[in-house]
């Protein structure tokens, strides 16, 4: 209770300070009242969703949107305050100087104060608008990212073999069937040889996937569809009444994936075959550093695989690649991961520049990386979680074409 009081008081103080900037920039009372009304509505809804209507650790859609609107409002307040606070500190220092030396000068430049208020409000409107856009359209702004990777030891029969990777569906967050249908059609339009899904089909419960089962079951690839589990698929973030209920939920999700045509690889492997040649597909259960579930068993997953086989690993969390896979006795040519979502927020100019705060948590957080002659692709995710939107880091469908070095 005390933390709620502290947070609300801090929010109101920040809101009052930002209001002063608005009053300086415009003397229209209706603007002031609108800001007050929206600020109170946002904090009121947030408190209601996360306390009165709280459903435990499950992040429902109403809670996600309450968080998203609060994030947008806080970004607006903070940037406005940064501009006004610097001005106030300067005024305080000059006022103290005048009082200390008994000068009669009064420091007041209303025109500068108004200029800073207008500038601060203008800049604050950018992240505020971007976060609202991210919730309205950005979360369904699907991008197809295509890569060609060359290997010396790729079997010649698999030259130009095409993989579509999707990850982090998070079906419990979806709220627009037409947009999801468009995304699924986009996956099918790639006409890839195989579709690989790298975990987090749901947020918490298998039931979240039921409305979308037929749609995702329509995904087609001539060599099939394969999947692994992500940290959210185990139901660890739900306060289950019994351990049996939790286990039943996981079995339901496994059965649902089978009904949709996915072969779920649970620390096991399979071979993709073409014209008498084959490559090994290895599926590892979730293994994550930093407190995430470690159900993955790489040694068990590669049982029966030969060291000279060409290998593709599916492992949800890229920290697994960093800490175990690239240092293993086997040489794993390509690992496919997801998990990070690219934090759903950042700045990216494809092929030139990418940045997101998630880089401070994960070394490998989006796109293709190479270490020790081995590749990883970290998919930015098909869905979204927490903040119900995306800004700058868009939902992704990855297409990877395997190439035999020396062939055209």
């Amino acid at each position: 209770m005390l933390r709620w009081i502290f947070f609300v008081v801090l929010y109101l103080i920040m809101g009052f300070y930002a209001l002063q900037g608005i009053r300086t920039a415009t003397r229209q009372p209706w603007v002031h009242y609108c800001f007050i009304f929206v600020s109170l509505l946002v904090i009121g809804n947030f408190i209601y969703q996360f306390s009165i209507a709280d459903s435990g650790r499950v992040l429902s859609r109403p809670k996600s949107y309450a968080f998203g609107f609060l994030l947008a409002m806080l970004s607006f307040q903070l940037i406005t305050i940064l501009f006004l606070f610097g001005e106030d500190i300067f005024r305080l220092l000059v006022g103290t100087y005048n009082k200390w030396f008994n000068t009669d000068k009064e420091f007041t430049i209303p025109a500068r104060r108004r200029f800073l208020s207008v500038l601060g409000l203008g800049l604050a409107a950018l992240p505020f608008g971007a976060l609202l856009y991210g919730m309205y359209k950005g979360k369904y702004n699907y991008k197809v990212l295509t890569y060609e990777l060359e290997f010396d030891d790729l079997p010649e029969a698999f030259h130009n073999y095409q993989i579509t990777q999707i990850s982090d569906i998070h079906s419990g967050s979806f709220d627009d069937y037409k947009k999801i249908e468009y995304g699924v059609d986009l996956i099918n339009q790639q006409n890839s040889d195989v579709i690989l899904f790298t975990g987090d089909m749901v947020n918490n419960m298998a039931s979240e996937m039921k409305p979308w089962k037929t749609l995702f079951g329509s995904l087609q690839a001539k060599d099939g569809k394969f999947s692994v589990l992500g940290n959210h698929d185990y139901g660890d973030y739900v306060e289950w009444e019994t351990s049996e209920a939790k286990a039943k939920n996981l079995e339901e999700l496994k059965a649902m994936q089978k009904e949709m045509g996915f072969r779920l690889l649970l620390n096991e492997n399979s071979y993709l075959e073409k014209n008498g040649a084959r490559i090994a597909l290895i599926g590892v259960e979730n293994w994550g550093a930093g407190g995430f579930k470690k159900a993955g068993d790489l040694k068990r997953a590669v049982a029966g695989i030969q060291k000279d086989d060409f290998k593709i690993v599916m492992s949800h969390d890229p920290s697994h690649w960093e800490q175990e896979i690239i240092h293993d006795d086997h040489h794993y040519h390509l690992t496919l991961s997801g998990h990070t979502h690219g934090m759903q927020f950042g700045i990216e100019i494809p092929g030139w520049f990418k940045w997101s705060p998630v880089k401070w948590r994960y070394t490998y957080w989006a796109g293709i990386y190479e270490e020790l002659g081995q590749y990883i692709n970290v998919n930015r995710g098909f869905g979204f979680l927490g903040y119900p939107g995306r800004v700058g880091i868009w939902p992704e469908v990855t297409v990877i074409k395997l190439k035999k070095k020396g062939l055209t």
Side-chain angles (χ1 to χ4, degrees), residues 35-59:
F35 177 77
I36 293 170
F37 174 76
V38 171
S39 296
L40 293 177
L41 181 64
V42 167
I43 191 64
N45 182 49
F46 181 80
I47 293 171
Y48 173 78
Q49 296 296 340
F50 281 84
S51 59
I52 299 172
D54 189 18
S55 54
R57 299 174 68 187
V58 175
L59 196 60

Side-chain angles (χ1 to χ4, degrees), residues 290-340:
F292 289 101
K293 192 180 191 73
K294 287 184 169 67
D297 187 335
L298 185 60
K299 297 299 183 185
R300 178 182 164 194
V302 298
I305 297 292
Q306 304 301 311
K307 281 195 174 184
D308 58 351
D309 284 334
F310 188 93
K311 307 173 195 68
I312 298 174
V313 179
M314 301 166 64
S315 182
H316 178 69
D317 192 317
S319 65
H320 189 209
W321 186 72
E322 179 181 11
Q323 296 195 20
E324 286 201 340
I325 294 174
I326 58 175
H327 304 293
D328 192 80
D329 291 338
H330 284 264
H331 179 86
Y332 299 98
H333 300 76
L334 174 63
T335 297
L336 303 177
S337 298
H339 182 64
T340 71

Side-chain angles (χ1 to χ4, degrees), residues 167-168 198-200 228-231 286 314-318 337-339:
S167 191
D168 298 87
T198 48
D200 277 2
V228 293
L229 295 176
N231 56 297
N286 192 81
M314 301 166 64
S315 182
H316 178 69
D317 192 317
S337 298
H339 182 64

Side-chain angles (χ1 to χ4, degrees), residues 128-169:
F128 179 77
L131 288 166
L132 293 182
Y133 172 82
M135 291 190 284
Y136 177 57
K137 280 195 172 181
K139 60 189 176 185
Y140 295 131
N141 185 24
Y142 298 107
K143 301 295 182 183
V144 177
L145 301 183
T146 304
Y147 305 98
E148 290 188 355
L149 299 179
E150 286 190 335
F151 301 91
D152 288 318
D153 52 350
L154 178 72
E156 190 170 332
F158 284 89
H159 180 63
N160 288 327
Y161 192 81
Q162 187 165 293
I163 299 166
T164 288
Q165 180 199 0
I166 54 174
S167 191
D168 298 87
I169 289 173

Side-chain angles (χ1 to χ4, degrees), residues 2 8 28 34 37 51 71 85 90 122 153 166 228 230-231 272 276 282 295 302-303 338 340 398:
L2 186 61
V8 171
Q28 297 294 327
C34 281
F37 174 76
S51 59
L71 193 63
F85 188 67
F90 184 74
D153 52 350
I166 54 174
V228 293
N231 56 297
L272 299 172
I282 300 153
V302 298
T340 71
T398 308

